[in-house]
């Protein structure tokens, strides 16, 4: 029997992550290189301008301010690239089965608890329903054709209201039609819900809902999204 390796898993370095982030983002935004160059040049120009107008005017002062502007330009470029990479990720997963679960499990923060696995699935059409519990109450997210999601959403709503009476339940449908929420705005829409319950009530609601939730292990889970491949790499 082969001995297990005790060496820790080697993670990609900082510059490797930056390169991956750049490649991922440029695929969605081909104009990214020109934008980054422009931001860096603008930073240098601003730095040199500050060095020129602040006395005493000297070459060394303009050089130092130019280097400062260069660093600020690089920082601004990284911030822009990180923001664009998030938009690129949303563009890539929009319409893919499992996209809602990915967003719920990675983008809500500590005030909410959710999983990337659906709590209800239509075996024939693969429409799915996801659930998140947080300070804003319970959120039910329907992914798929809205007309075919009615029964799944109503079943989940009834289950929640049965075990957590008085806790507000909000329903979101993923899509681009009237009354629907684009996948790119799902996280912000949930986070914008006002706080309705405290932390202890939230923990009790989670425990009650989980106690009555049925196992979905025998149901076909929508496939088509791999968060490790779709998620935009971020520099550390």
């Amino acid at each position: 029997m082969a001995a297990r390796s005790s060496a820790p898993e080697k993670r990609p370095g900082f510059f490797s992550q930056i390169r991956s982030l750049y490649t991922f983002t440029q695929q969605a935004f081909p104009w990214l290189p020109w934008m980054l160059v422009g931001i860096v040049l603008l930073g240098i120009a601003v730095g040199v301008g500050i060095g020129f107008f602040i006395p005493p005017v000297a070459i060394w002062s303009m050089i130092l301010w130019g280097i400062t502007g260069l660093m600020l330009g690089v920082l601004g470029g990284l911030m822009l690239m990180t923001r664009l990479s998030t938009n690129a990720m949303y563009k890539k997963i929009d319409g893919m089965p499992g996209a809602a679960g990915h967003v719920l499990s990675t983008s809500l923060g500590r005030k909410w608890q959710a999983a990337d696995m659906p709590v209800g699935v239509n075996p024939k059409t693969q429409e799915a329903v996801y659930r998140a519990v947080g300070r804003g109450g319970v959120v039910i997210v329907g992914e798929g054709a809205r007309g075919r999601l009615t029964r799944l959403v109503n079943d989940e709503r009834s289950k929640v209201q049965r075990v957590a009476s008085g806790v507000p339940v909000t329903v979101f449908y993923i899509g681009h039609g009237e009354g629907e929420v684009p996948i790119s705005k799902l996280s912000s829409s949930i986070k914008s819900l006002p706080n309705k319950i405290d932390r202890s009530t939230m923990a009790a609601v989670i425990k009650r809902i989980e106690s009555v939730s049925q196992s979905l292990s025998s149901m076909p889970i929508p496939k088509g999204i791999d968060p490790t491949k779709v998620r935009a790499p971020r520099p550390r």
Side-chain angles (χ1 to χ4, degrees):
M1 182 176 180
R4 294 183 179 178
S5 174
S6 59
E9 181 181 356
K10 186 177 181 180
R11 296 182 178 181
F14 175 78
F15 291 103
S16 177
Q17 294 182 49
I18 293 294
R19 184 167 54 252
S20 299
L21 180 68
Y22 173 82
T23 302
F24 178 86
T25 309
Q26 188 189 20
Q27 292 176 355
F29 303 100
W31 44 262
L32 177 65
W34 304 107
M35 179 63 72
L36 295 179
V37 171
I39 292 175
V40 172
L41 292 178
L42 178 62
I44 295 175
V46 171
V48 172
I50 293 175
F52 182 78
F53 286 106
I54 294 181
V57 179
I59 295 297
W60 61 267
S61 177
M62 296 176 62
I63 292 176
L64 290 177
W65 277 107
I67 294 175
T68 301
L70 171 63
M71 292 188 293
L72 291 176
V74 171
L75 178 61
L78 288 175
M79 293 174 63
L80 173 67
M81 192 162 57
T82 300
R83 186 175 184 87
L84 290 177
S85 68
T86 302
N87 295 336
M89 179 197 70
Y90 284 130
K91 289 177 63 176
K92 191 167 185 178
I93 69 176
D94 191 11
M96 296 177 64
H102 174 59
V103 173
L104 292 178
S105 63
T106 60
S107 305
L108 292 185
R110 297 180 178 180
K111 288 187 177 182
W112 292 87
Q113 179 172 315
D116 58 353
M117 300 295 286
V119 295
V121 177
N122 187 325
K124 295 182 179 179
T125 63
Q126 289 195 334
E127 266 81 23
V129 170
Y130 298 83
R131 181 184 64 232
V133 182
R135 300 291 299 279
V138 179
V139 170
I140 299 173
V141 179
E143 181 182 74
R146 186 167 181 173
R148 294 195 294 263
L149 283 166
T150 303
R151 182 175 179 180
L152 286 174
V153 170
N154 289 340
D155 288 346
E156 184 63 24
R157 194 208 310 263
S158 298
K159 181 176 64 179
V160 171
Q161 292 175 339
R162 186 169 63 251
V163 300
S165 178
V167 176
V169 179
T170 306
V171 178
F172 291 108
Y173 291 93
I174 302 300
H176 297 278
E178 184 178 356
E180 297 177 337
V181 178
I183 190 66
S184 60
K185 296 183 179 180
L186 176 60
S187 175
S188 59
S189 297
I190 295 177
K191 290 180 179 179
S192 66
L193 294 175
N195 292 342
K196 295 294 185 179
I197 59 178
D198 54 28
R199 293 184 181 276
S200 59
T201 303
M202 172 183 164
V205 169
I206 293 174
K207 185 176 295 185
R208 291 175 186 174
I209 293 177
E210 289 180 348
S211 67
V212 299
S213 295
Q214 297 180 353
S215 173
L216 293 174
S217 58
S218 61
M219 294 185 179
I221 303 301
K223 298 180 180 180
I225 179 171
D226 184 350
T228 60
K229 295 181 179 179
V230 175
R231 186 185 308 171
R234 296 179 180 271
R236 298 179 180 178

